[in-house]
């Protein structure tokens, strides 16, 4: 039985938007006035003579339109030869990036930026593939607590995203957080570090309300890693299951200080743990490379007649009368859900599993609640499992049953919380099955 040699290449490219363009990630409109730090796309190309895979990490809130992702992967295939469904795009979920889809009625999709982004990704794919050479891989798992569950429960049975935990009716935090920190490093035969990938679970929203472009704490961690290792090192950050995870501690109530300070803290924490793991992780020559994907069809929630009537009444009343947040939730959230899915209440979620030796990456296109990420890891056969959300499209928040029963933003029915309450459990099941398939020994020929 012959052993395949792993080849790996990597590349980086800037993907900044223009000054004056809309930023994404809040219920109100924001305009970029400067670039605080560069947005980047970083890619790793992997091949073993049989399979080839391209993994791209993007400093974006998300690629929210699945059709655009599919078309872009086809363009990448034409440019690089990597099969379109073997291209995995994953977003860090920074809230200080360009608008890649119209999530607000008055903030249009930035078509010019999307055209430039597609061209940049094709260039990135070619560069990563052209740089491929025989490689060894190292992987490890450690601990870096950077995020906290942001869903608070109240004595009347309701839940909310954020809130004052010193209130007398506070009844606890809804769910867990996940401090596991995972690392994958690829080395050339001459000991050169080809690329570094790390993975943790927290919304990249330290500076979410500001008016500039920033990669948030994943960008700060990348800067520190390059400062230590190599100035041009491709560094990929994969965001774990963190739909309900925030950089801000809810209990005990911490003072919410300057977001840039928090950005620096988390960036330094991630970089330090990645460097510690990198120092001690054993290298593996000729690790097994396997990749598989599945399109999981899941039902979408539909509005009741009462919900639809209420949303239409808000639209008629107008934003000034209803208030900005309520208007956005009802018009951009509820009415868009009805428009897009009422006639066909089905969403298709792409799930990928990428195995490199005993390291596994399993992706989904949701803002997945942390508990589901923990469940996937618990059921994984890999020594290290990097759950990765907001990959290969967007299917909205995926909350637990506890969250759905408690309600509140990220649990109530809208376009960006559209999957039925059983979706997360079905996604865990499908992910676990796909993981185990990639770790089942293949019979000798």
């Amino acid at each position: 039985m012959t052993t395949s040699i792993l080849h790996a290449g990597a590349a980086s490219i800037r993907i900044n938007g223009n000054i004056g363009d809309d930023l994404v990630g809040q219920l109100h409109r924001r305009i970029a006035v400067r670039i605080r730090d560069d947005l980047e796309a970083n890619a790793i190309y992997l091949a073993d003579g049989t399979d080839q895979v391209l993994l791209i990490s993007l400093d974006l809130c998300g690629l929210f339109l699945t059709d655009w992702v599919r078309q872009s992967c086809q363009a990448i295939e034409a440019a690089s030869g990597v099969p379109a469904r073997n291209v995995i795009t994953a977003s860090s979920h920074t809230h200080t990036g360009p608008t890649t889809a119209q999530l607000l009625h008055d903030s249009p999709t930035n078509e010019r930026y999307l055209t430039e982004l597609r061209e940049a990704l094709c260039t990135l794919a070619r560069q990563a593939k052209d740089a491929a050479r025989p490689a060894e891989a190292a992987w490890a798992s450690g601990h870096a607590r950077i995020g906290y569950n942001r869903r608070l429960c109240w004595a009347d049975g309701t839940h909310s995203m954020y809130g004052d935990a010193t209130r007398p009716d506070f009844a606890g935090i809804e769910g867990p957080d996940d401090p596991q920190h995972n690392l994958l490093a690829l080395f050339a035969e001459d000991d050169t570090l080809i690329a570094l990938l790390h993975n943790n679970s927290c919304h990249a929203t330290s500076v979410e309300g500001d008016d500039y472009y920033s990669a948030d704490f994943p960008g700060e961690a990348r800067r520190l890693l390059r400062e230590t290792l190599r100035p041009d090192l491709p560094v990929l950050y994969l965001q774990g299951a963190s739909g309900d995870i925030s950089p801000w501690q809810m209990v005990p109530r911490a003072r919410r200080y300057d977001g840039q300070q928090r950005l620096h803290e988390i960036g330094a924490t991630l970089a330090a743990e990645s460097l510690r793991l990198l120092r001690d992780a054993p290298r593996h020559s000729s690790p097994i490379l396997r990749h598989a994907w599945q399109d999981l069809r899941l039902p979408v929630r539909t509005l009741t007649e009462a919900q639809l009537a209420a949303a239409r009444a808000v639209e008629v009343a107008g934003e000034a009368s209803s208030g900005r947040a309520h208007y956005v939730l009802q018009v951009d959230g509820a009415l868009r859900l009805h428009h897009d899915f009422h006639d066909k209440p089905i969403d298709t979620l792409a799930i990928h599993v990428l195995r490199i030796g005993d390291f596994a990456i399993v992706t989904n296109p949701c803002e997945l609640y942390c508990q589901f990420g923990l469940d996937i890891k618990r059921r994984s056969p890999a020594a290290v499992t990097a759950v990765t959300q907001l990959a290969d499209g967007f299917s909205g928040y995926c909350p637990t049953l506890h969250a759905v029963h408690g309600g509140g933003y990220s649990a109530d029915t809208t376009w960006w919380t559209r999957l039925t309450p059983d979706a997360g459990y079905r996604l865990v099941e499908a992910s676990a099955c796909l993981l185990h398939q990639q770790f089942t020994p293949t019979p000798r020929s």
Side-chain angles (χ1 to χ4, degrees), residues 46-373:
L46 298 167
D48 66 353
T50 302
D51 294 318
Q52 54 178 336
V53 181
L54 183 70
L55 177 63
I56 304 173
S57 169
L58 298 135
D59 293 333
L60 293 174
C61 189
L63 295 175
F64 296 109
L65 300 178
T66 301
D67 287 346
W68 187 90
V69 174
R70 292 285 175 272
Q71 293 164 10
S72 296
C73 290
Q74 291 287 349
I76 290 171
E77 178 177 359
S80 68
V82 180
R85 293 311 296 261
N86 287 13
V87 177
I88 306 170
T89 60
S91 298
S92 68
H93 204 52
T94 176
H95 280 208
T96 41
T99 299
T100 57
Q102 185 165 5
L103 302 183
L104 303 177
H105 58 280
D106 53 359
S107 181
T109 303
N110 192 330
E111 299 292 350
R112 177 201 52 78
Y113 178 79
L114 287 177
T115 298
E116 294 175 356
L117 178 62
R118 181 174 291 165
E119 294 172 355
L121 295 182
C122 289
T123 298
L124 181 71
R126 287 193 298 267
Q127 291 175 347
K129 184 174 181 178
D130 289 347
R133 47 188 157 162
E136 294 182 331
W139 52 83
S141 182
H143 183 282
R145 190 179 189 192
I146 62 171
Y148 304 87
N149 200 287
R150 60 181 178 170
R151 297 269 305 173
L152 278 68
C153 308
W154 310 104
D156 63 358
T158 63
H159 300 180
S160 64
M161 183 191 291
Y162 302 121
D164 181 2
T166 65
R167 282 170 39 180
D169 61 338
F170 173 65
I173 296 294
E174 181 186 272
D177 52 50
D178 182 6
Q180 186 179 62
H181 186 73
N182 301 313
L183 174 87
L184 173 70
L186 297 162
F187 296 88
E189 291 177 318
D190 63 359
D191 206 40
T192 301
L193 183 59
I194 296 172
L196 185 147
L197 177 155
H198 57 170
N199 160 250
N200 205 306
S201 300
C202 179
H203 257 69
T205 54
S206 298
V207 292
E208 63 179 335
D210 289 329
D211 57 357
Y212 45 66
Y213 292 117
S214 173
D216 211 281
F217 64 75
E220 175 66 5
R222 182 172 61 224
R223 183 187 70 81
L224 293 171
L225 288 166
R226 286 175 175 167
E227 188 175 276
T228 304
L229 298 169
R230 194 179 81 236
D232 61 346
L233 179 70
V235 177
L236 286 74
Y237 177 78
L238 300 183
Q239 191 195 54
S242 47
D244 52 348
I245 306 297
S246 156
W248 308 103
Q249 187 172 1
M250 301 291 107
V251 179
R253 184 172 173 81
R255 180 172 60 88
R256 189 175 176 122
Y257 46 84
D258 180 68
Q260 293 204 41
Q261 179 181 339
R262 188 67 182 132
L263 178 155
H264 287 296
E265 289 175 353
I266 297 180
T269 299
L270 292 177
E273 183 65 357
S274 289
L275 289 170
R276 185 187 73 83
L277 295 173
L278 180 66
R279 180 193 65 205
D280 298 331
R283 299 186 196 180
H284 304 266
S285 59
S286 303
I288 293 172
L289 177 67
R290 289 188 185 174
H291 169 254
W293 57 270
Q294 174 187 346
D295 282 337
L296 179 66
R297 289 168 56 83
L298 292 177
V300 169
R301 307 185 203 182
T302 55
L303 299 180
T304 65
E305 289 300 322
Q307 289 172 325
L308 182 59
R312 285 173 171 162
V314 169
E315 183 180 38
V316 170
E319 182 180 329
S321 174
S322 304
R324 173 70 181 191
H326 189 53
Y327 185 85
V328 167
L329 290 171
Q330 293 300 311
V331 175
D332 300 320
L335 289 183
R336 181 174 180 179
L337 171 68
H338 180 76
H339 177 270
D340 288 358
F341 290 98
H342 177 70
D343 293 336
K344 189 178 180 182
I346 296 290
D347 199 2
T348 301
L349 284 65
I351 301 171
H352 291 262
V353 168
L354 176 59
R355 175 186 178 184
I356 306 105
D358 217 3
F359 183 91
I361 298 170
V362 56
T363 77
N364 67 83
C366 299
E367 290 192 61
L368 192 68
Y369 270 41
C370 183
Q371 183 60 57
F372 295 131

Side-chain angles (χ1 to χ4, degrees), residues 8-20:
S12 302
I13 199 166
R14 291 175 183 167
I15 55 169
N16 294 317
N18 285 345
I19 305 304

